[in-house]
Amino acid sequence: MFTRTPVPQSVARKLQTMILDGELKAGEKIPSQRELSERFGISRASLREALLTLETVGLVKTEAGRGTFVAGTSPSSSKTMAEWRYSRDYSLREVFETRYMLESEIAARAAGRIGREDLDLLARLTDDMERSWAGRDYLANVEADLHFHEIIARGCANRMLGELYGRVREQLTETQRQPIPITDPVRMQASVGEHRRLVAALERGDAEAARKAMADHVANTAACAGYSVGPAPA
């Protein structure tokens, strides 16, 4: 049901490691796209996708006419989000509102339907999110978050809802990466707590609690990015 882009993600992780290990230092201009494409044996399109991912999580910054530079190893050191890449199609607010409505209903329908194995995996992924953030592995943090939400969508026992999620997954994914540069440790700990409350509601089979937990999580993530989402006014 869901598709992945392993090559760009793999290269993004290699570049992140180079930044975290100090091979590429804060403020340093990274090698040209041609050089990196040859070094990693990938197309420039895949490389551009990898760089865009790193820019979205706040590790690099592209300056027109100058190139791409290392922004640093701490997202909180960069107080601005990357440009919203789907602005020609949808506003960031619209995508957060869609997440609020779609994922809340998916979570409610998944309550009591997700098996023990997936519940245990959701708990492990939440631990992975917390651990990777502490280790400054922001890509792994986002990957764990994405996998967490995919499992819930897969477990909602409604194929159409699952397929709808899959069709807009690319845009939804960006809203999970987008706030990373302006997310402080307190907010990340709150996000981890929201995930754990959601898992507990799913395990209890409490649809209303699962709906609220997901709605609160998406609303708080949107608020971190500067947007207010919630129920439509009466």
Side-chain angles (χ1 to χ4, degrees), residues 83-92 94-95 171:
E83 183 179 350
W84 175 239
R85 66 194 292 189
Y86 299 103
S87 58
R88 291 185 180 180
D89 301 312
Y90 318 101
S91 71
L92 185 54
E94 287 174 319
V95 182
Q171 290 80 16

Side-chain angles (χ1 to χ4, degrees), residues 112-137:
R113 293 185 170 96
I114 292 184
R116 182 74 260 165
E117 184 176 343
D118 278 343
L119 286 168
D120 290 343
L121 180 53
L122 290 173
R124 290 197 302 272
L125 288 168
T126 302
D127 290 340
D128 288 345
M129 283 181 60
E130 185 172 37
R131 184 166 46 250
S132 58
W133 180 269
R136 301 183 301 167
D137 188 347

Side-chain angles (χ1 to χ4, degrees), residues 173-187:
T173 292
E174 279 302 289
T175 67
Q176 288 163 277
R177 290 193 184 110
Q178 198 80 12
I180 290 292
I182 56 174
T183 299
D184 62 28
V186 173
R187 171 56 202 145

Side-chain angles (χ1 to χ4, degrees), residues 12 15-16 19 24-25 27-30 36 47-48 50-63 67-73 78 80-82 181:
L15 289 168
Q16 178 185 248
I19 292 170
L24 292 173
K25 297 178 174 56
E28 181 180 344
K29 184 177 180 179
I30 69 171
L36 287 175
L47 178 63
R48 283 193 293 271
L51 291 175
L52 187 56
T53 297
L54 290 176
E55 184 162 13
T56 303
V57 299
L59 289 178
V60 303
K61 180 71 174 176
T62 299
E63 299 181 12
T68 302
F69 296 81
V70 178
T73 58
S78 173
T80 59
M81 293 190 300

Side-chain angles (χ1 to χ4, degrees), residues 1-2 102 106 150 152-169:
M1 178 166 58
F2 307 113
L102 180 61
I106 284 173
E150 286 175 4
I152 296 172
R154 188 179 67 211
C156 75
N158 183 305
R159 287 180 299 172
M160 180 167 281
L161 275 177
E163 287 175 5
L164 283 172
Y165 178 88
R167 289 173 188 172
V168 296
R169 178 177 175 269

